[in-house]
Amino acid sequence: MGATEPTRVLVVGAGAIGSFYGAILHRAGAEVSVVCRSDVGVVREGGFRIKSRPLGDLSFRPAQVHASVDEVERSPDYLLLCVKVLDGVDRAALIAPAVGPRTAIVLIENGIGIEREVAEAFPGNPLISALGMVGVSRTGPGEILHNHYGRLVLGDYPSGAGERARHLGALLDAGGVTGEVSEDVVTARWAKCLWNTAFNPLSVLGGGADTATMTGSESTDQLLRALMIEICAVAAADGHPLDEGLIDGYLERTRTFPGYRNSMALDYLNGRPLELDAILGNVLRIAAERGVEVPRLDTIYRSIRLLQDMQARDAEDADTGIAEQVQ
Amino acid sequence: MGATEPTRVLVVGAGAIGSFYGAILHRAGAEVSVVCRSDVGVVREGGFRIKSRPLGDLSFRPAQVHASVDEVERSPDYLLLCVKVLDGVDRAALIAPAVGPRTAIVLIENGIGIEREVAEAFPGNPLISALGMVGVSRTGPGEILHNHYGRLVLGDYPSGAGERARHLGALLDAGGVTGEVSEDVVTARWAKCLWNTAFNPLSVLGGGADTATMTGSESTDQLLRALMIEICAVAAADGHPLDEGLIDGYLERTRTFPGYRNSMALDYLNGRPLELDAILGNVLRIAAERGVEVPRLDTIYRSIRLLQDMQARDAEDADTGIAEQVQ
């Protein structure tokens, strides 16, 4: 870095994932600012306290801590968008105030087809799609525990690996994790989705099931396998054929890994909104566009929608004090 | 009845359904005894208190109230088996002590393929399969509320309508409900199952969803329809083709009926065992035997099994005091 000005990074949505990668880029010499809503007071006071099992202490103080994107005065070189992808949240509008003409937008988010609306809103900006392969969790306000992994797979959307993506990859490497630059990040996204789209929604129907329980029975193993076969068919029809050998590999690795709850299972158990459309609904939309039959994925999607309808109805009954009449 | 000895009936499993039909047969002049486990003291003391919206007071005192089938000294003319059909419950062994050479066994139970084990255990006895079309619930110990309907469809298993079935039908008619004798009760069972196999398990995945919520969204309506199409395919392959017009009729009638929770939804919400194999698992078994693809039914079945695995695991963790480790 030396005499040149450091790379300026803005993390929008500094939860566990966002603050972890912010810390890595800070470690690589970048000037990292953040927008965080809930923990803004704590983070302004003392920065992020990040304990990493593989990397040691990653605590850092952001250059600036904003409560809102509207407070950002100078647009960054890289804007890392790390918010959840939810119905009714306009991510393009959210980041617009901070996006300058040279800002590369980096999406570190779950799901399939989540780039489209951002690409359409900022056609002149480099758009980098990225997948965090990382086990990290928020343990308190401004407090993060990094358990394992950290690799970020990234590339230009819809394909390619330009200078801005390669520079970001190099910064991540310098910061201590692998920044794996891909010429075909959408295929990489489908490969990650193969796991998430099968495991995450099913874990909700399983009452917030953890991976050990899910891979611990032959019955669920067969269902996960059948779901992944449907996902592979959609990916292939969308021009991103996956090696079906991935399926066995994922199941085997998940089975031998200590059990944990995925993000959607945790969101469900904590009453938070689910990234259902990003992770599953968009896959169904693409399947319909491409004429691929996905009866099992569709059944799971509609069952979760019913569960959500029922929860909304129960909440409404509780609000109005009307008791359910059972016959 | 006059000078002839009254028909002797034994109800095994005198819950809401069993005591309701017991009351109807008592009203028709039969001598009705019961085996009930949990409410035996209350019923011995004061009989059943049954309030029927359509029929008025149906309260009655059984001739004998047994805590166990082993106490039965004289085998009945009709043994009405009204217990839940659950894995690990040997229904043939349960009733064996009370079955005499002339006892007609009447199964008033949910599900498909539930006659087989009883037929095999008592090859010399008339076996009558029956479907209660009745809205009835237990409101307290020995206390039943009959809300609506009451018709019992019955016939010999696997087919036919012999003298014993016709006599039982006549008694029901005399008691105030319709005893509809069918030459093909297994097809009638498939027609009832078309509703239960679609609605009951899905209501569990929907968090114990009621019928109003289930029929209140286009998304769930489409899923219910797709499930029923799969069930029709299995019924047809099993030699019991159903009129697919039933599907629209069921959905329409359910939508216009006041919302309620089906028995499996209530069992789920009350932590009781589910009749999952009787209502859905046996349909999957028949589908496999007949080579019918049922991806949606299979997905729902395996999702509920996962939910049960997870509940068992949570219960185990609670018992041993081991907290779930979330990563």
Side-chain angles (χ1 to χ4, degrees), chain A residues 148 202 206-207 209-210 213 219 222-223 261 266 295-296 298-300 302-303 307 310 313 324 326-327, chain B residues 148 202 205-207 209-210 213 219 222-223 261 266 295-296 298-300 302-303 307 310 313 324 326-327:
Chain A
H148 37 243
L202 182 58
D210 64 287
T213 304
S219 162
Q222 285 179 12
L223 177 53
R261 285 183 159 125
L266 291 172
R296 291 180 186 272
D298 183 76
T299 298
I300 289 197
R302 291 179 197 271
S303 298
L307 181 60
M310 199 58 215
R313 191 210 153 128
E324 169 88 354
V326 177
Q327 305 187 16
Chain B
H148 37 243
L202 182 58
L205 292 183
D210 64 288
T213 304
S219 162
Q222 286 179 11
L223 177 53
R261 287 185 158 122
L266 291 172
R296 291 180 186 271
D298 183 76
T299 297
I300 289 197
R302 291 179 197 272
S303 297
L307 181 59
M310 199 59 214
R313 193 210 151 129
E324 169 87 356
V326 178
Q327 304 186 17

Side-chain angles (χ1 to χ4, degrees), chain A residues 95-256:
Chain A
I95 60 174
V99 175
R102 284 211 70 260
T103 302
I105 303 167
V106 185
L107 308 180
I108 310 184
E109 296 174 308
N110 275 326
I112 283 290
I114 56 140
E115 301 94 343
R116 207 186 282 187
E117 64 174 286
V118 179
E120 284 168 5
F122 305 100
N125 289 79
L127 179 58
I128 297 170
S129 185
L131 308 161
M133 312 294 187
V134 60
V136 69
S137 56
R138 177 180 177 281
T139 50
E143 214 176 271
I144 310 293
L145 175 63
H146 172 223
N147 269 305
H148 37 243
Y149 308 134
R151 183 165 58 103
L152 197 76
V153 178
L154 70 152
D156 295 337
Y157 177 81
S159 65
E163 186 263 325
R164 303 297 296 276
R166 292 198 308 274
H167 178 63
L168 182 60
L171 281 177
L172 290 161
D173 286 341
V177 304
T178 303
E180 184 179 322
V181 181
S182 166
E183 292 275 350
D184 184 8
V185 72
V186 175
T187 297
R189 199 170 263 285
W190 272 108
K192 183 166 194 287
C193 177
L194 184 59
W195 196 98
N196 289 124
T197 301
F199 275 82
N200 291 26
L202 182 58
S203 72
V204 171
L205 292 183
D210 64 287
T211 53
T213 304
M214 295 180 81
T215 56
S217 90
E218 184 60 23
S219 162
T220 309
D221 186 85
Q222 285 179 12
L223 177 53
L224 287 164
R225 202 173 289 275
L227 293 170
M228 289 192 196
I229 288 171
E230 288 189 354
I231 298 161
C232 283
V234 183
D238 198 43
H240 303 282
L242 303 175
D243 176 3
E244 287 203 12
L246 276 176
I247 296 175
D248 280 334
Y250 276 154
L251 289 170
E252 182 57 27
R253 253 174 296 152
T254 307
R255 192 178 297 110
T256 51

Side-chain angles (χ1 to χ4, degrees), chain B residues 132-175:
Chain B
M133 312 295 187
V134 60
V136 69
S137 56
R138 178 181 176 280
T139 49
E143 214 176 272
I144 309 293
L145 175 64
H146 172 222
N147 269 306
H148 37 243
Y149 308 132
R151 182 165 59 103
L152 197 74
V153 178
L154 69 152
D156 295 336
Y157 176 81
S159 65
E163 184 264 322
R164 303 298 296 276
R166 291 197 310 274
H167 178 63
L168 182 60
L171 281 176
L172 290 161
D173 286 340

Side-chain angles (χ1 to χ4, degrees), chain B residues 5 15 40 64-68 71 73 85 119 152 156 189 193 205 218 221 223-224 239-240 243 253 269 308 316:
Chain B
E5 208 187 339
V40 63
Q64 293 186 288
V65 179
H66 307 287
S68 154
E71 296 173 5
E73 285 175 357
V85 181
L152 197 74
D156 295 336
R189 199 171 262 285
C193 178
L205 292 183
E218 184 61 24
D221 185 86
L223 177 53
L224 287 163
H240 303 282
D243 176 3
R253 252 173 297 151
L269 290 172
Q308 293 179 318
E316 204 176 280

Side-chain angles (χ1 to χ4, degrees), chain B residues 11 47 260 293:
Chain B
V11 179
Y260 68 100
E293 295 277 318

